[in-house]
């Protein structure tokens, strides 16, 4: 019994000892914490805070939870502060890590409480930001960051409010302070992404600057447009006044029309000032113009002043048009007189470039024979004075030709003289004349025969052209420029002559450059299209090609396109690019070519000539063969091309085989193409047959590895023997006979080599057979027989015809 | 190429006799080589070629004499002082 009692006592004591151990207590506290009994847990943890390493962190966690549960600010603050005070109780580093995150949460909670108290108070908000910045944030960084952003946003609002109060006070110094506060508000707003305050601060800063009469720039500020509408209204109004005071009237007008476009008496006042300024400006402009007119008729206006006067008229007329339309019209009316004065001065002073410039700027100058004539004179002057350059030669030449080719211009010369009163003038030989279509013709002009008293206008035009040509042929020293000028002249002249020859209606004849530069080309193209549509006249289309700019829907363009296709093929021939020709060989492309007889009839000759040029450069160019094959396929008419191809291939093969540059098999392969395209050309056929013999001999003598390929070609030949082939295949039969003769002489039984021979079958029955060499010999002899004229195919021409038909080679050879 | 009228020193309206006379005068004056004078005379005596020479005189465009522009508008001083800058005060 005593033992039992002792054991019980020991057990009880042991239990109490166990219960009082720190680990046991810590576990108990943890359980209490998990059941959210923080107060009991705190009591236990307080007992072991010095004895258990993890106790302070757990204690802090309990206090943090209690703080979070607490409702009063004071109580919350007490718990969170107690959490932070526990740091000093921690002794080991592992516990520090746990504690850090709990402390950060407590500090965050404290920051939140302080933020709530600081709202609207710049000083307190700033203080709390400092608190946040120095606080341990471990594990709660994003919470602190968001809280800090809230502070910035609050500070932005507070500073903005402070700024408006200062600005409202209205004193100079306070407005300066307000700018500072708006700037601070904008900075905080930027940090907190508060775009409203950013935009509003920007507008208010500008308003304050305008209040202080500082210069401002509203350019490129997108923030203004997003700011408060009333702020914008005030800003733009103040800015408009600022601009008006600085006499920046056009800028002020822009601001008013763009941003102050609403009804208000104060806005009307601004508009009235603008109108007054315009009236004043108009009065000034008119005074200046009148002063210039005075100088013009007193002959004291220099050419430069005249030019500047003339150049400024359009702007002056536009400016006055806003105030007084009639006044603007009066100004515009003086332009032709000034233009004439300036042009006359330019021509007198031989300032031809300037003269050409102002003529070209004159609206529809080509409709005035006088201006067109003066353009011709200036163009001639530039050429005669050696002033042609790479920059101006196109304008000069097109201007000259268009001028001289206009009979109206030539007839204009008759108006200014009296020497010609005893003469009449005939347009019979005139170039570019469409006077016949005019209702009125001058009294001294007719279409009668040229005589001593009836002078040829055409002769005058030719004289002028000849004079100009003499200059450009002989007097341009720079060789490159001379070529450019003369080539361009020839092309322009050729083109205008072509359209004159085609067009019957009364249109303005101009050279291509002139027409395209002045937008006259479409009318010309339209006339040529009509001519084609009425008379199927392809020459009219040909004439229009130079006048194409972007008129893709016209027949002239289609004609150009078809021609261009041929040019592209020719270019591909030149570059030996068979792939390009293959790509161009489409149904649609061929359809365009076939539409125009002029083009389709000359395709073959064009390609033939291009290929001939290539052959003349190098007559042993194997690459050219594929190009030629593509050309045969491209051209619907191709007999000449086939003949050209076959001969080229044959010559190539003969030369290369003789020089041993290619083997017999390659030559046979190439010649197969030639034979296919010219199956009845004796030269081709004979050479092809010779190559067949060579290849059979090569096989017999083991001089080729291409046995299979050779037999393939020979099998094809068996089925594709032309009449000419049959007539010339004796060479093969002869070769066979010679071989058999040699075999016979050497004692061989030649009946073994001929399946048709009944003895051959007898031998076979007797078990006599040929060895490998013998079988090879037999095969060669069989092919010699079948390809020679000993063997006739049943209907070989039909098969060849079919193949040729598939390859677009169905026509008979014309040679 | 100098204009034949200038070489011979004659007006555009001169008749055949005047041209021939001026040729003699130009030859005496020796301002231009004899061959140039002969070509100029030949040109002016051939009506078609003379018309080509006439081409080189600028065409006169008929235009009106410009009259001073009458303007009924009057200059007025611009006064910006009367403008009320606070008309759209947005802080009130």
């Amino acid at each position: 019994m005593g033992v039992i009692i002792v054991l019980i006592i020991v057990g009880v004591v042991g239990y109490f000892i166990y219960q009082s151990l720190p680990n046991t207590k810590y576990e108990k506290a943890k359980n209490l914490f998990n059941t959210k009994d923080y107060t009991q847990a705190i009591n236990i943890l307080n007992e072991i805070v010095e004895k258990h390493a993890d106790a302070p962190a757990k204690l802090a966690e309990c206090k943090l939870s209690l703080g979070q549960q607490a409702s009063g600010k004071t109580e919350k603050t007490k718990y969170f502060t107690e959490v932070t005070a526990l740091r000093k109780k921690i002794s080991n580093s592992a516990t520090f890590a746990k504690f850090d995150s709990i402390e950060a949460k407590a500090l965050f909670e404290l920051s939140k409480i302080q933020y709530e108290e600081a709202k609207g108070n710049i000083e307190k908000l700033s203080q709390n930001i400092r608190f946040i910045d120095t606080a341990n944030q471990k594990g709660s960084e994003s919470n602190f960051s968001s809280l800090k952003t809230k502070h910035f946003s609050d500070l932005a609002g507070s500073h903005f409010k402070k700024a408006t109060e200062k600005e409202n006070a209205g004193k100079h110094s306070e407005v300066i302070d307000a700018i500072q506060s708006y700037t601070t508000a904008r900075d905080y707003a930027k940090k907190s992404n508060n775009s409203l305050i950013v935009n509003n601060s920007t507008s208010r800063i500008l308003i304050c600057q305008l209040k202080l009469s500082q210069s401002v720039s509203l350019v490129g500020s997108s923030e203004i447009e997003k700011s408060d509408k009333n702020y914008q209204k005030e800003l733009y109004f103040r800015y408009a006044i600022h601009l008006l005071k600085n006499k920046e009237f056009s800028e002020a007008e822009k601001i008013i029309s763009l941003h102050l476009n609403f009804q208000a008496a104060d806005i009307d006042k601004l508009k009235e000032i603008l109108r007054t300024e315009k009236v004043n400006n108009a009065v000034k402009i008119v005074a200046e113009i009148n002063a210039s007119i005075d100088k013009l008729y007193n002959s004291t206006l220099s050419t430069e002043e005249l030019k500047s006067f003339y150049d400024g008229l359009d702007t002056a007329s536009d400016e006055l048009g806003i105030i007084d339309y009639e006044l603007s019209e009066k100004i515009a009316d003086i332009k032709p007189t000034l233009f004439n004065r300036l042009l006359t001065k330019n021509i007198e002073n031989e300032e031809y470039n300037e003269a050409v410039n102002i003529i070209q700027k004159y609206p529809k100058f080509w409709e005035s024979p006088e201006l067109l004539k003066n353009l011709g004179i200036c163009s001639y002057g530039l050429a005669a004075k050696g002033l042609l350059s790479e920059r101006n030669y196109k304008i000069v030449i097109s201007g000259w030709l268009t001028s001289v080719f206009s009979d109206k211009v030539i007839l204009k010369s008759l108006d200014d003289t009296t020497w010609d009163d005893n003469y009449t003038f005939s347009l019979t030989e005139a170039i570019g004349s469409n006077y016949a279509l005019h209702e009125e013709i001058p009294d001294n002009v007719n279409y009668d025969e040229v005589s001593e008293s009836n002078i040829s206008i055409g002769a005058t035009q030719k004289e002028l052209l000849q004079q100009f040509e003499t200059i450009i042929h002989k007097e341009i020293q720079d060789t490159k420029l001379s070529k450019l000028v003369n080539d361009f002249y020839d092309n322009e002249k050729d083109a205008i002559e072509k359209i004159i020859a085609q067009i019957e209606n009364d249109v303005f004849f101009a050279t291509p450059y002139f027409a395209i530069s002045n937008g006259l080309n479409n009318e010309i193209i339209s006339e040529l299209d009509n001519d084609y549509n009425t008379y199927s006249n392809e020459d009219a289309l040909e004439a229009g090609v130079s006048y194409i700019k972007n008129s893709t829907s016209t027949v002239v363009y289609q004609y150009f396109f078809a021609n261009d296709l041929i040019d592209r093929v020719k270019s591909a021939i030149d570059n030996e690019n068979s792939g390009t020709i293959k790509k161009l060989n489409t149904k649609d492309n061929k359809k365009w070519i076939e539409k125009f007889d002029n083009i389709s009839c000359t395709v073959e000759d064009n390609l033939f000539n291009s290929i001939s040029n290539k052959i003349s450069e190098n007559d042993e160019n194997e690459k050219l063969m594929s190009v030629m094959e593509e050309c045969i396929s491209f051209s619907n008419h191709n007999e000449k091309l086939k003949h050209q191809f076959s001969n080229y291939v044959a010559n190539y093969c003969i030369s290369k085989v003789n020089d041993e540059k290619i083997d017999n098999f390659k030559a046979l392969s190439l010649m197969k193409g030639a034979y296919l395209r010219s199956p009845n050309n004796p030269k081709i056929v004979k050479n092809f047959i010779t190559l067949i013999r060579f290849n059979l001999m090569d096989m017999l003598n083991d001089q080729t590895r291409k046995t299979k390929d050779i037999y393939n070609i020979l099998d094809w030949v068996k089925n594709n023997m032309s009449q000419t082939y049959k007539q010339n295949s004796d060479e093969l039969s002869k070769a066979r006979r010679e071989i058999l003769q040699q075999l016979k002489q050497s004692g061989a039984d030649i009946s073994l080599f001929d399946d048709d021979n009944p003895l051959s079958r007898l031998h076979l029955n007797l078990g006599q057979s040929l060895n490998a060499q013998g079988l090879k010999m037999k095969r060669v002899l069989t092919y010699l027989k079948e390809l020679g004229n000993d063997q006739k195919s049943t209907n070989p021409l039909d098969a060849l015809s079919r193949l040729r038909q598939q390859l677009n080679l169905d026509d008979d050879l014309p040679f | 190429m100098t204009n034949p009228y200038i070489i011979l020193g004659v007006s555009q309206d001169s008749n055949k006799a005047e041209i021939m006379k001026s040729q003699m005068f130009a030859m005496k004056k020796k301002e231009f080589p004899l061959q140039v004078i002969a070509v100029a005379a030949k040109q002016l005596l051939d009506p078609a070629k003379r018309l080509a020479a006439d081409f080189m005189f600028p065409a006169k465009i008929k235009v009106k004499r410009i009259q001073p522009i009458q303007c009924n508008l009057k200059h007025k001083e611009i006064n910006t002082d009367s403008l009320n800058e606070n008309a759209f005060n947005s802080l009130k």
Side-chain angles (χ1 to χ4, degrees), chain B residues 2 5 7-8 12 14 19 24 28 32 46 56 66 79-81 91:
Chain B
T2 312
Y5 284 106
I7 294 169
L8 298 179
Q12 262 190 287
S14 47
I19 290 166
M24 302 302 292
K28 275 185 195 170
F32 294 95
D46 177 333
M56 295 303 170
I66 307 171
N79 180 12
T80 52
D81 295 340
L91 289 183

Side-chain angles (χ1 to χ4, degrees), chain A residues 391-404:
Chain A
R391 251 182 70 188
N392 71 4
Y393 77 94
K394 289 184 179 174
I395 294 169
V396 171
I397 288 169
S398 63
W400 167 253
L401 286 171
T402 304
S403 174
V404 174

Side-chain angles (χ1 to χ4, degrees), chain A residues 346-365:
Chain A
N346 281 149
I347 296 174
E348 272 172 18
N349 298 338
E350 298 185 343
E351 295 160 346
Y352 297 124
N353 271 323
E354 288 82 351
V356 169
N357 245 329
I358 64 162
I359 291 173
Q360 287 198 316
K361 283 181 192 161
Y362 200 86
K364 295 194 174 182
F365 67 90

